[in-house]
Coordinates of all heavy atoms in Angstrom, one line a residue:
M1 N 15.8 -39.1 37.4 CA 16.7 -39.2 36.3 C 16.0 -39.6 35.0 O 16.3 -39.0 34.0 CB 17.8 -40.2 36.7 CG 18.9 -40.3 35.7 SD 19.9 -38.8 35.9 CE 21.3 -39.4 35.0
K2 N 15.1 -40.5 35.1 CA 14.4 -41.0 33.9 C 13.5 -39.9 33.3 O 13.4 -39.7 32.1 CB 13.6 -42.2 34.3 CG 12.9 -42.9 33.1 CD 12.2 -44.1 33.5 CE 11.6 -44.8 32.2 NZ 10.9 -46.0 32.6
K3 N 12.9 -39.1 34.3 CA 12.0 -38.0 33.8 C 12.8 -37.0 33.1 O 12.4 -36.4 32.1 CB 11.3 -37.5 35.0 CG 10.2 -36.6 34.7 CD 9.4 -36.2 36.0 CE 8.2 -35.4 35.6 NZ 7.4 -35.0 36.8
S4 N 14.0 -36.6 33.6 CA 14.8 -35.6 32.9 C 15.3 -36.1 31.5 O 15.4 -35.3 30.6 CB 16.0 -35.2 33.8 OG 16.9 -36.3 34.0
K5 N 15.5 -37.4 31.3 CA 15.9 -37.9 30.0 C 14.7 -37.8 29.0 O 14.9 -37.4 27.9 CB 16.3 -39.3 30.1 CG 17.7 -39.5 30.7 CD 18.1 -41.0 30.7 CE 19.5 -41.1 31.4 NZ 19.9 -42.6 31.4
I6 N 13.5 -38.0 29.5 CA 12.3 -37.9 28.7 C 12.1 -36.4 28.3 O 11.8 -36.1 27.1 CB 11.1 -38.5 29.4 CG1 11.2 -40.0 29.5 CG2 9.8 -38.1 28.6 CD1 10.2 -40.6 30.4
I7 N 12.3 -35.5 29.2 CA 12.1 -34.1 28.9 C 13.2 -33.7 27.9 O 12.9 -33.0 26.9 CB 12.2 -33.3 30.2 CG1 11.0 -33.6 31.1 CG2 12.3 -31.8 29.9 CD1 11.0 -33.0 32.5
L8 N 14.4 -34.1 28.1 CA 15.5 -33.7 27.2 C 15.3 -34.3 25.8 O 15.4 -33.6 24.8 CB 16.9 -34.2 27.8 CG 18.1 -33.9 26.9 CD1 18.2 -32.4 26.8 CD2 19.3 -34.5 27.5
A9 N 14.8 -35.5 25.7 CA 14.5 -36.1 24.4 C 13.4 -35.4 23.7 O 13.4 -35.2 22.5 CB 14.2 -37.6 24.6
S10 N 12.4 -35.0 24.5 CA 11.3 -34.2 23.9 C 11.7 -32.9 23.4 O 11.3 -32.4 22.3 CB 10.2 -34.0 25.0 OG 9.6 -35.2 25.4
I11 N 12.6 -32.2 24.1 CA 13.1 -30.9 23.7 C 13.9 -31.0 22.4 O 13.8 -30.3 21.4 CB 13.9 -30.2 24.8 CG1 13.0 -29.8 25.9 CG2 14.7 -29.0 24.3 CD1 13.7 -29.3 27.2
V12 N 14.8 -32.0 22.4 CA 15.6 -32.3 21.2 C 14.7 -32.6 20.0 O 14.9 -32.1 18.9 CB 16.6 -33.4 21.4 CG1 17.3 -33.8 20.1 CG2 17.7 -32.9 22.4
G13 N 13.7 -33.4 20.2 CA 12.8 -33.8 19.1 C 12.0 -32.6 18.6 O 11.9 -32.4 17.4
L14 N 11.6 -31.7 19.4 CA 10.9 -30.4 19.0 C 11.9 -29.5 18.2 O 11.5 -28.9 17.3 CB 10.3 -29.7 20.2 CG 9.1 -30.4 20.9 CD1 8.7 -29.6 22.1 CD2 7.9 -30.4 19.9
M15 N 13.1 -29.5 18.7 CA 14.1 -28.6 18.0 C 14.3 -29.2 16.6 O 14.4 -28.4 15.6 CB 15.4 -28.6 18.8 CG 15.3 -27.7 20.0 SD 16.7 -27.8 21.1 CE 18.0 -27.2 20.0
I16 N 14.5 -30.5 16.4 CA 14.7 -31.1 15.1 C 13.5 -30.8 14.2 O 13.6 -30.5 13.0 CB 15.0 -32.6 15.2 CG1 16.4 -32.7 15.9 CG2 15.0 -33.3 13.9 CD1 16.7 -34.1 16.3
A17 N 12.3 -31.0 14.7 CA 11.1 -30.8 13.9 C 11.0 -29.4 13.5 O 10.6 -29.1 12.4 CB 9.8 -31.2 14.8
G18 N 11.3 -28.4 14.4 CA 11.2 -27.0 14.1 C 12.2 -26.6 13.0 O 11.9 -25.9 12.1
A19 N 13.4 -27.2 13.1 CA 14.4 -26.9 12.0 C 14.0 -27.5 10.7 O 14.2 -26.8 9.7 CB 15.8 -27.5 12.5
A20 N 13.4 -28.7 10.7 CA 13.0 -29.3 9.4 C 11.9 -28.4 8.8 O 11.9 -28.2 7.6 CB 12.5 -30.7 9.7
I21 N 10.9 -27.9 9.6 CA 9.9 -27.1 9.0 C 10.4 -25.8 8.5 O 10.1 -25.3 7.4 CB 8.8 -26.8 10.1 CG1 8.0 -28.1 10.4 CG2 7.8 -25.8 9.7 CD1 7.2 -28.1 11.6
T22 N 11.4 -25.2 9.2 CA 12.0 -23.9 8.7 C 12.7 -24.1 7.4 O 12.6 -23.3 6.5 CB 12.9 -23.4 9.8 OG1 12.2 -23.2 11.0 CG2 13.6 -22.1 9.4
I23 N 13.5 -25.2 7.3 CA 14.2 -25.4 6.1 C 13.2 -25.7 4.9 O 13.5 -25.2 3.8 CB 15.2 -26.6 6.2 CG1 16.3 -26.2 7.2 CG2 15.7 -27.1 4.9 CD1 17.2 -27.4 7.6
D24 N 12.1 -26.4 5.1 CA 11.2 -26.6 4.1 C 10.5 -25.3 3.6 O 10.4 -25.1 2.4 CB 10.1 -27.6 4.6 CG 9.1 -28.0 3.5 OD1 9.6 -28.3 2.4 OD2 7.9 -28.0 3.8
I25 N 10.2 -24.5 4.5 CA 9.5 -23.2 4.2 C 10.5 -22.3 3.5 O 10.2 -21.6 2.5 CB 9.0 -22.5 5.4 CG1 7.8 -23.3 6.0 CG2 8.6 -21.1 5.2 CD1 7.3 -22.9 7.3
V26 N 11.8 -22.2 3.9 CA 12.8 -21.3 3.3 C 13.0 -21.6 1.9 O 13.1 -20.7 1.1 CB 14.1 -21.4 4.1 CG1 15.2 -20.7 3.4 CG2 13.9 -20.8 5.5
G27 N 13.1 -22.8 1.4 CA 13.4 -23.1 0.0 C 12.2 -23.2 -0.9 O 12.4 -23.6 -2.0
E28 N 11.0 -22.8 -0.5 CA 9.8 -23.0 -1.2 C 9.5 -21.8 -2.1 O 9.6 -20.6 -1.7 CB 8.7 -23.2 -0.3 CG 7.4 -23.6 -0.9 CD 6.3 -23.9 0.1 OE1 6.6 -24.5 1.1 OE2 5.2 -23.5 -0.1
D29 N 9.2 -22.0 -3.4 CA 8.7 -21.0 -4.3 C 7.3 -20.6 -3.9 O 6.4 -21.4 -3.6 CB 8.7 -21.4 -5.7 CG 10.0 -21.6 -6.3 OD1 11.0 -21.2 -5.7 OD2 10.1 -22.1 -7.5
R30 N 7.0 -19.3 -3.8 CA 5.7 -18.8 -3.5 C 5.3 -17.8 -4.7 O 6.0 -17.0 -5.1 CB 5.7 -18.0 -2.2 CG 5.9 -18.8 -1.0 CD 5.7 -18.1 0.3 NE 6.1 -16.7 0.2 CZ 7.3 -16.2 0.6 NH1 8.2 -17.0 1.0 NH2 7.6 -14.9 0.5
I31 N 4.1 -18.0 -5.2 CA 3.5 -17.1 -6.2 C 3.3 -15.7 -5.5 O 2.8 -15.7 -4.4 CB 2.2 -17.6 -6.7 CG1 2.3 -19.0 -7.4 CG2 1.5 -16.6 -7.7 CD1 3.1 -19.0 -8.7
I32 N 3.8 -14.7 -6.2 CA 3.6 -13.3 -5.6 C 2.9 -12.5 -6.7 O 3.0 -12.8 -7.9 CB 4.9 -12.7 -5.2 CG1 5.9 -12.6 -6.4 CG2 5.6 -13.5 -4.1 CD1 7.1 -11.8 -6.1
P33 N 2.3 -11.4 -6.3 CA 1.8 -10.4 -7.3 C 2.9 -9.8 -8.2 O 4.0 -9.5 -7.6 CB 1.1 -9.4 -6.5 CG 1.0 -9.9 -5.1 CD 2.1 -10.9 -5.0
V34 N 2.7 -9.6 -9.4 CA 3.7 -9.0 -10.3 C 4.1 -7.6 -9.7 O 5.3 -7.3 -9.8 CB 3.1 -8.8 -11.7 CG1 4.0 -8.0 -12.6 CG2 2.8 -10.2 -12.3
E35 N 3.2 -6.9 -9.1 CA 3.6 -5.6 -8.5 C 4.6 -5.7 -7.4 O 5.3 -4.7 -7.1 CB 2.3 -4.9 -7.9 CG 1.2 -4.7 -8.9 CD 0.3 -5.9 -9.1 OE1 0.1 -6.7 -8.2 OE2 -0.1 -6.1 -10.3
S36 N 4.8 -6.9 -6.9 CA 5.8 -7.1 -5.8 C 7.2 -7.3 -6.3 O 8.1 -7.4 -5.5 CB 5.4 -8.3 -4.9 OG 4.2 -8.1 -4.3
L37 N 7.3 -7.5 -7.6 CA 8.7 -7.7 -8.2 C 9.5 -6.5 -8.1 O 9.0 -5.4 -8.1 CB 8.6 -8.1 -9.7 CG 8.0 -9.5 -10.0 CD1 7.7 -9.6 -11.5 CD2 9.0 -10.6 -9.6
P38 N 10.8 -6.6 -7.9 CA 11.7 -5.4 -8.0 C 11.5 -4.7 -9.3 O 11.3 -5.3 -10.3 CB 13.1 -6.0 -7.8 CG 12.9 -7.3 -7.2 CD 11.6 -7.8 -7.7
A39 N 11.7 -3.4 -9.2 CA 11.5 -2.6 -10.4 C 12.5 -3.0 -11.5 O 12.1 -3.0 -12.7 CB 11.7 -1.1 -10.1
A40 N 13.7 -3.4 -11.2 CA 14.7 -3.9 -12.2 C 14.2 -5.1 -13.0 O 14.5 -5.2 -14.2 CB 16.0 -4.2 -11.5
V41 N 13.4 -6.0 -12.3 CA 12.9 -7.1 -13.0 C 11.9 -6.7 -14.0 O 11.9 -7.1 -15.2 CB 12.3 -8.1 -12.0 CG1 11.5 -9.2 -12.8 CG2 13.3 -8.7 -11.1
K42 N 10.9 -5.8 -13.6 CA 9.9 -5.4 -14.5 C 10.5 -4.6 -15.7 O 10.1 -4.8 -16.8 CB 8.9 -4.6 -13.8 CG 8.1 -5.4 -12.8 CD 7.0 -4.6 -12.1 CE 7.6 -3.9 -10.9 NZ 6.6 -3.3 -10.0
T43 N 11.5 -3.8 -15.4 CA 12.1 -3.0 -16.5 C 12.8 -3.9 -17.5 O 12.7 -3.7 -18.7 CB 13.1 -2.0 -15.9 OG1 12.4 -1.1 -15.0 CG2 13.8 -1.2 -16.9
Y44 N 13.5 -4.9 -17.0 CA 14.2 -5.9 -17.8 C 13.2 -6.6 -18.8 O 13.5 -6.7 -20.0 CB 15.0 -6.9 -17.0 CG 15.7 -7.9 -17.9 CD1 17.0 -7.6 -18.3 CD2 15.1 -9.1 -18.3 CE1 17.7 -8.5 -19.1 CE2 15.8 -9.9 -19.2 CZ 17.1 -9.7 -19.5 OH 17.8 -10.5 -20.4
V45 N 12.1 -7.0 -18.2 CA 11.1 -7.7 -19.1 C 10.5 -6.7 -20.1 O 10.4 -7.1 -21.3 CB 10.0 -8.3 -18.2 CG1 8.8 -8.8 -19.1 CG2 10.6 -9.4 -17.3
Q46 N 10.2 -5.5 -19.7 CA 9.6 -4.5 -20.6 C 10.6 -4.2 -21.8 O 10.2 -4.1 -22.9 CB 9.3 -3.2 -19.9 CG 8.1 -3.4 -19.0 CD 7.8 -2.2 -18.1 OE1 8.7 -1.3 -18.0 NE2 6.7 -2.2 -17.4
N47 N 11.9 -4.1 -21.4 CA 12.9 -3.7 -22.4 C 13.3 -4.8 -23.4 O 13.6 -4.6 -24.5 CB 14.2 -3.1 -21.8 CG 13.9 -1.8 -21.1 OD1 13.0 -1.1 -21.4 ND2 14.8 -1.4 -20.2
N48 N 13.3 -6.1 -22.8 CA 13.8 -7.2 -23.6 C 12.8 -8.1 -24.2 O 13.1 -8.9 -25.1 CB 14.8 -8.0 -22.8 CG 16.1 -7.2 -22.4 OD1 16.9 -7.0 -23.3 ND2 16.1 -6.7 -21.2
F49 N 11.6 -8.0 -23.7 CA 10.4 -8.8 -24.1 C 9.2 -7.9 -24.3 O 8.2 -8.1 -23.6 CB 10.1 -9.9 -23.2 CG 11.3 -10.9 -23.0 CD1 12.3 -10.7 -22.1 CD2 11.4 -12.0 -23.8 CE1 13.3 -11.6 -21.9 CE2 12.4 -12.9 -23.7 CZ 13.4 -12.7 -22.8
P50 N 9.3 -6.9 -25.2 CA 8.2 -5.9 -25.3 C 6.9 -6.5 -25.7 O 5.8 -5.9 -25.5 CB 8.8 -4.9 -26.3 CG 9.8 -5.7 -27.1 CD 10.4 -6.7 -26.2
N51 N 6.9 -7.7 -26.4 CA 5.6 -8.3 -26.9 C 5.1 -9.3 -25.9 O 4.2 -10.0 -26.3 CB 5.9 -8.9 -28.3 CG 6.3 -7.8 -29.3 OD1 5.8 -6.7 -29.2 ND2 7.2 -8.2 -30.2
S52 N 5.7 -9.5 -24.7 CA 5.3 -10.5 -23.8 C 4.7 -9.8 -22.5 O 5.1 -8.7 -22.2 CB 6.4 -11.4 -23.4 OG 6.8 -12.1 -24.5
N53 N 3.9 -10.5 -21.8 CA 3.4 -10.1 -20.5 C 4.0 -11.1 -19.4 O 4.2 -12.2 -19.7 CB 1.9 -10.1 -20.4 CG 1.3 -9.1 -21.4 OD1 1.8 -7.9 -21.4 ND2 0.3 -9.5 -22.2
I54 N 4.0 -10.6 -18.2 CA 4.4 -11.5 -17.1 C 3.2 -12.4 -16.8 O 2.2 -11.8 -16.3 CB 5.0 -10.8 -15.9 CG1 6.2 -10.0 -16.3 CG2 5.2 -11.7 -14.7 CD1 6.8 -9.1 -15.2
A55 N 3.3 -13.7 -17.0 CA 2.2 -14.6 -16.7 C 2.2 -14.9 -15.2 O 1.1 -15.1 -14.6 CB 2.3 -15.8 -17.5
Y56 N 3.3 -15.1 -14.6 CA 3.4 -15.4 -13.2 C 4.7 -14.9 -12.6 O 5.7 -14.8 -13.3 CB 3.2 -16.9 -12.9 CG 4.2 -17.8 -13.4 CD1 5.4 -18.0 -12.7 CD2 4.1 -18.4 -14.7 CE1 6.4 -18.9 -13.2 CE2 5.1 -19.2 -15.2 CZ 6.2 -19.5 -14.4 OH 7.2 -20.3 -15.0
A57 N 4.8 -14.7 -11.3 CA 6.0 -14.4 -10.6 C 6.1 -15.2 -9.4 O 5.1 -15.4 -8.7 CB 6.0 -12.9 -10.3
K58 N 7.3 -15.7 -9.1 CA 7.5 -16.5 -7.9 C 8.7 -15.9 -7.1 O 9.6 -15.4 -7.7 CB 7.9 -18.0 -8.2 CG 6.7 -18.8 -8.9 CD 7.2 -20.2 -9.2 CE 6.1 -21.0 -9.9 NZ 6.6 -22.4 -10.1
K59 N 8.6 -16.1 -5.8 CA 9.7 -15.6 -5.0 C 10.2 -16.8 -4.2 O 9.4 -17.5 -3.6 CB 9.2 -14.5 -4.0 CG 10.3 -13.9 -3.2 CD 9.8 -12.8 -2.3 CE 10.8 -12.2 -1.5 NZ 10.3 -11.1 -0.6
E60 N 11.5 -17.0 -4.1 CA 12.1 -18.1 -3.3 C 13.0 -17.5 -2.3 O 14.0 -16.8 -2.7 CB 12.8 -19.1 -4.2 CG 13.4 -20.2 -3.5 CD 14.1 -21.2 -4.3 OE1 14.0 -21.2 -5.6 OE2 14.8 -22.1 -3.8
N61 N 12.7 -17.6 -1.1 CA 13.6 -17.2 0.0 C 14.5 -18.3 0.4 O 14.0 -19.3 0.9 CB 12.8 -16.7 1.2 CG 12.1 -15.4 0.9 OD1 12.6 -14.5 0.3 ND2 10.9 -15.3 1.4
E62 N 15.8 -18.2 0.1 CA 16.8 -19.1 0.6 C 17.4 -18.6 1.8 O 17.2 -17.4 2.2 CB 17.8 -19.4 -0.5 CG 17.2 -20.0 -1.7 CD 18.2 -20.3 -2.8 OE1 19.3 -19.8 -2.7 OE2 17.8 -21.0 -3.8
I63 N 18.2 -19.4 2.5 CA 18.8 -18.9 3.8 C 19.6 -17.7 3.6 O 19.5 -16.8 4.4 CB 19.6 -20.1 4.4 CG1 18.6 -21.2 4.8 CG2 20.4 -19.6 5.6 CD1 19.3 -22.5 5.3
I64 N 20.4 -17.6 2.5 CA 21.3 -16.4 2.4 C 20.9 -15.5 1.2 O 21.6 -14.5 1.0 CB 22.8 -16.9 2.3 CG1 22.9 -17.8 1.1 CG2 23.3 -17.5 3.5 CD1 24.4 -18.1 0.7
R65 N 19.9 -15.8 0.5 CA 19.5 -15.0 -0.7 C 18.1 -15.2 -1.1 O 17.5 -16.1 -0.7 CB 20.5 -15.2 -1.8 CG 20.3 -16.6 -2.4 CD 21.2 -16.8 -3.6 NE 21.2 -18.2 -4.0 CZ 22.2 -18.9 -4.4 NH1 23.4 -18.4 -4.4 NH2 22.0 -20.2 -4.7
T66 N 17.6 -14.3 -1.9 CA 16.3 -14.3 -2.5 C 16.4 -14.4 -4.0 O 17.3 -13.8 -4.6 CB 15.5 -13.1 -2.1 OG1 15.4 -13.0 -0.7 CG2 14.1 -13.0 -2.7
K67 N 15.5 -15.2 -4.6 CA 15.5 -15.3 -6.0 C 14.0 -15.1 -6.5 O 13.1 -15.4 -5.8 CB 15.9 -16.7 -6.5 CG 17.3 -17.1 -6.4 CD 17.6 -18.3 -7.2 CE 17.8 -19.5 -6.3 NZ 18.2 -20.7 -7.1
Y68 N 13.9 -14.6 -7.7 CA 12.6 -14.4 -8.3 C 12.6 -15.2 -9.6 O 13.5 -15.1 -10.4 CB 12.4 -12.9 -8.6 CG 12.3 -12.0 -7.4 CD1 13.4 -11.4 -6.9 CD2 11.1 -11.9 -6.7 CE1 13.3 -10.6 -5.8 CE2 11.0 -11.1 -5.6 CZ 12.1 -10.5 -5.1 OH 12.1 -9.7 -4.0
K69 N 11.5 -15.9 -9.9 CA 11.3 -16.5 -11.2 C 10.1 -15.9 -11.8 O 9.0 -15.7 -11.2 CB 11.0 -18.0 -11.0 CG 12.2 -18.8 -10.5 CD 12.0 -20.2 -10.3 CE 13.2 -21.0 -9.7 NZ 12.9 -22.4 -9.5
V70 N 10.2 -15.6 -13.1 CA 9.2 -14.9 -13.8 C 8.9 -15.7 -15.1 O 9.7 -16.0 -15.9 CB 9.6 -13.5 -14.2 CG1 8.6 -12.8 -15.1 CG2 9.9 -12.6 -13.0
G71 N 7.6 -16.1 -15.2 CA 7.1 -16.8 -16.4 C 6.5 -15.8 -17.3 O 5.6 -15.0 -16.9
L72 N 6.8 -15.8 -18.6 CA 6.3 -14.9 -19.6 C 5.2 -15.5 -20.4 O 5.1 -16.8 -20.5 CB 7.4 -14.3 -20.5 CG 8.5 -13.7 -19.8 CD1 9.5 -13.1 -20.8 CD2 8.1 -12.5 -18.9
S73 N 4.3 -14.7 -21.0 CA 3.2 -15.3 -21.8 C 3.6 -16.0 -23.0 O 2.8 -16.8 -23.5 CB 2.2 -14.1 -22.2 OG 3.0 -13.1 -22.9
D74 N 4.8 -15.8 -23.5 CA 5.3 -16.6 -24.6 C 6.1 -17.8 -24.3 O 6.7 -18.5 -25.1 CB 6.2 -15.7 -25.5 CG 7.4 -15.1 -24.8 OD1 7.7 -15.5 -23.6 OD2 8.1 -14.3 -25.4
G75 N 6.0 -18.2 -23.0 CA 6.6 -19.5 -22.6 C 8.0 -19.4 -22.0 O 8.6 -20.4 -21.4
F76 N 8.7 -18.3 -22.1 CA 10.0 -18.1 -21.5 C 9.9 -18.0 -20.0 O 8.9 -17.5 -19.4 CB 10.7 -16.8 -22.0 CG 11.1 -16.9 -23.4 CD1 10.4 -16.3 -24.4 CD2 12.3 -17.7 -23.8 CE1 10.8 -16.4 -25.8 CE2 12.7 -17.8 -25.1 CZ 11.9 -17.1 -26.1
E77 N 10.9 -18.5 -19.3 CA 11.0 -18.3 -17.8 C 12.4 -17.7 -17.5 O 13.4 -18.1 -18.0 CB 10.9 -19.7 -17.1 CG 10.9 -19.5 -15.6 CD 10.6 -20.7 -14.8 OE1 11.6 -21.5 -14.6 OE2 9.5 -21.0 -14.5
L78 N 12.4 -16.6 -16.7 CA 13.6 -15.9 -16.3 C 13.8 -16.0 -14.8 O 12.8 -16.1 -14.1 CB 13.4 -14.4 -16.7 CG 13.0 -14.1 -18.2 CD1 12.7 -12.6 -18.3 CD2 14.1 -14.5 -19.1
E79 N 15.0 -16.0 -14.4 CA 15.3 -16.1 -13.0 C 16.2 -14.9 -12.7 O 17.2 -14.6 -13.4 CB 16.0 -17.4 -12.6 CG 16.2 -17.6 -11.2 CD 16.7 -19.0 -10.9 OE1 15.9 -20.0 -11.1 OE2 17.8 -19.1 -10.3
F80 N 15.9 -14.2 -11.6 CA 16.6 -13.0 -11.1 C 17.1 -13.2 -9.7 O 16.4 -13.9 -8.9 CB 15.7 -11.8 -11.2 CG 15.2 -11.5 -12.6 CD1 14.1 -12.1 -13.1 CD2 15.9 -10.6 -13.4 CE1 13.6 -11.8 -14.4 CE2 15.4 -10.3 -14.7 CZ 14.3 -10.9 -15.2
D81 N 18.2 -12.5 -9.3 CA 18.6 -12.5 -8.0 C 17.7 -11.5 -7.2 O 16.9 -10.8 -7.8 CB 20.1 -12.2 -7.8 CG 20.5 -10.8 -8.3 OD1 19.7 -9.9 -8.4 OD2 21.7 -10.6 -8.4
G82 N 18.0 -11.3 -5.9 CA 17.2 -10.4 -5.1 C 17.3 -9.0 -5.5 O 16.5 -8.2 -5.1
N83 N 18.4 -8.6 -6.2 CA 18.5 -7.2 -6.7 C 17.9 -7.0 -8.0 O 18.0 -5.9 -8.6 CB 20.0 -6.9 -6.8 CG 20.7 -6.9 -5.4 OD1 20.1 -6.5 -4.4 ND2 21.9 -7.5 -5.3
G84 N 17.3 -8.0 -8.6 CA 16.7 -7.9 -9.9 C 17.6 -8.1 -11.1 O 17.3 -7.7 -12.2
M85 N 18.8 -8.7 -10.9 CA 19.7 -9.0 -11.9 C 19.4 -10.4 -12.5 O 19.2 -11.4 -11.7 CB 21.2 -8.9 -11.4 CG 21.5 -7.6 -10.9 SD 21.4 -6.2 -12.0 CE 22.7 -6.7 -13.2
L86 N 19.4 -10.5 -13.8 CA 19.1 -11.8 -14.5 C 20.2 -12.8 -14.1 O 21.4 -12.5 -14.2 CB 19.1 -11.6 -16.0 CG 18.7 -12.8 -16.8 CD1 17.2 -13.2 -16.6 CD2 18.9 -12.6 -18.3
T87 N 19.8 -14.0 -13.7 CA 20.7 -15.1 -13.4 C 20.5 -16.3 -14.3 O 21.4 -17.1 -14.4 CB 20.6 -15.5 -11.9 OG1 19.3 -16.0 -11.7 CG2 20.9 -14.4 -11.0
D88 N 19.3 -16.5 -14.8 CA 19.1 -17.7 -15.7 C 17.9 -17.4 -16.6 O 17.1 -16.6 -16.4 CB 18.7 -18.9 -14.8 CG 18.7 -20.2 -15.5 OD1 19.3 -20.3 -16.6 OD2 18.2 -21.2 -14.9
F89 N 18.0 -18.1 -17.8 CA 17.0 -17.9 -18.8 C 16.7 -19.2 -19.4 O 17.5 -20.0 -19.9 CB 17.7 -17.0 -19.9 CG 16.9 -16.7 -21.1 CD1 15.8 -15.8 -21.1 CD2 17.2 -17.4 -22.3 CE1 15.1 -15.6 -22.2 CE2 16.4 -17.2 -23.4 CZ 15.4 -16.3 -23.4
D90 N 15.4 -19.6 -19.4 CA 15.0 -20.9 -20.0 C 13.9 -20.6 -21.0 O 13.0 -19.8 -20.8 CB 14.3 -21.8 -18.9 CG 15.4 -22.4 -17.9 OD1 16.5 -22.5 -18.4 OD2 15.0 -22.6 -16.8
D91 N 14.0 -21.4 -22.1 CA 12.9 -21.2 -23.1 C 12.2 -22.6 -23.3 O 12.5 -23.5 -22.7 CB 13.5 -20.8 -24.5 CG 14.6 -21.7 -25.0 OD1 15.0 -22.6 -24.3 OD2 15.0 -21.4 -26.1

Protein backbone atom coordinates (compact mmCIF):
# COMPACT_ATOMS: atom_id res chain seq x y z
CA MET A 1 0.00 0.00 0.00
CA LYS A 2 2.80 2.43 0.95
CA LYS A 3 4.69 1.65 -2.26
CA SER A 4 1.62 2.42 -4.44
CA LYS A 5 1.18 5.80 -2.69
CA ILE A 6 4.80 6.68 -3.43
CA ILE A 7 4.38 5.71 -7.08
CA LEU A 8 1.15 7.69 -7.35
CA ALA A 9 2.76 10.74 -5.73
CA SER A 10 5.70 10.47 -8.15
CA ILE A 11 3.41 10.30 -11.17
CA VAL A 12 1.39 13.31 -10.00
CA GLY A 13 4.60 15.26 -9.36
CA LEU A 14 5.89 14.50 -12.85
CA MET A 15 2.58 15.56 -14.40
CA ILE A 16 2.63 18.89 -12.54
CA ALA A 17 6.26 19.53 -13.52
CA GLY A 18 5.50 18.69 -17.16
CA ALA A 19 2.52 21.03 -17.23
CA ALA A 20 4.55 23.87 -15.70
CA ILE A 21 7.31 23.46 -18.30
CA THR A 22 4.76 23.38 -21.14
CA ILE A 23 3.04 26.55 -19.93
CA ASP A 24 6.39 28.33 -19.60
CA ILE A 25 7.45 27.38 -23.14
CA VAL A 26 4.07 28.24 -24.70
CA GLY A 27 4.02 31.86 -23.54
CA GLU A 28 7.62 32.66 -24.44
CA ASP A 29 8.68 35.10 -27.17
CA ARG A 30 11.22 33.59 -29.57
CA ILE A 31 13.33 35.57 -32.01
CA ILE A 32 12.63 34.36 -35.54
CA PRO A 33 14.09 35.23 -38.95
CA VAL A 34 12.29 38.07 -40.73
CA GLU A 35 11.69 35.68 -43.62
CA SER A 36 9.50 33.57 -41.31
CA LEU A 37 6.98 36.37 -40.79
CA PRO A 38 3.63 36.07 -42.58
CA ALA A 39 3.56 37.92 -45.90
CA ALA A 40 0.82 40.23 -44.55
CA VAL A 41 3.16 41.47 -41.81
CA LYS A 42 5.99 42.24 -44.23
CA THR A 43 3.59 43.95 -46.65
CA TYR A 44 2.11 46.08 -43.86
CA VAL A 45 5.56 47.26 -42.77
CA GLN A 46 6.65 48.01 -46.36
CA ASN A 47 3.48 49.99 -47.09
CA ASN A 48 3.20 51.91 -43.82
CA PHE A 49 6.86 52.33 -42.83
CA PRO A 50 8.69 52.63 -46.16
CA ASN A 51 11.73 54.30 -44.57
CA SER A 52 12.18 51.66 -41.86
CA ASN A 53 13.60 48.17 -41.76
CA ILE A 54 12.56 45.30 -39.56
CA ALA A 55 15.20 45.18 -36.81
CA TYR A 56 13.83 42.04 -35.14
CA ALA A 57 10.88 39.69 -35.23
CA LYS A 58 9.48 37.62 -32.37
CA LYS A 59 6.90 34.88 -32.37
CA GLU A 60 4.82 34.05 -29.32
CA ASN A 61 2.87 30.81 -29.29
CA GLU A 62 0.03 30.98 -26.83
CA ILE A 63 -2.28 28.09 -26.08
CA ILE A 64 -5.03 29.24 -28.46
CA ARG A 65 -3.25 31.73 -30.75
CA THR A 66 0.01 32.97 -32.19
CA LYS A 67 1.31 36.54 -32.07
CA TYR A 68 4.16 38.26 -33.87
CA LYS A 69 6.07 41.27 -32.53
CA VAL A 70 8.13 43.31 -34.97
CA GLY A 71 10.65 45.94 -33.97
CA LEU A 72 11.51 48.55 -36.58
CA SER A 73 14.79 50.37 -37.08
CA ASP A 74 13.15 53.68 -36.11
CA GLY A 75 12.13 52.37 -32.67
CA PHE A 76 8.50 51.46 -33.34
CA GLU A 77 7.19 48.08 -32.22
CA LEU A 78 4.21 46.47 -33.91
CA GLU A 79 2.19 43.46 -32.82
CA PHE A 80 0.27 41.22 -35.20
CA ASP A 81 -2.02 38.25 -34.78
CA GLY A 82 -1.29 34.88 -36.38
CA ASN A 83 -2.94 35.99 -39.63
CA GLY A 84 -0.72 39.06 -39.94
CA MET A 85 -3.33 41.61 -38.84
CA LEU A 86 -2.07 44.53 -36.73
CA THR A 87 -3.23 44.32 -33.11
CA ASP A 88 -0.98 46.80 -31.27
CA PHE A 89 1.33 49.70 -32.03
CA ASP A 90 3.94 51.13 -29.63
CA ASP A 91 6.29 54.02 -30.24
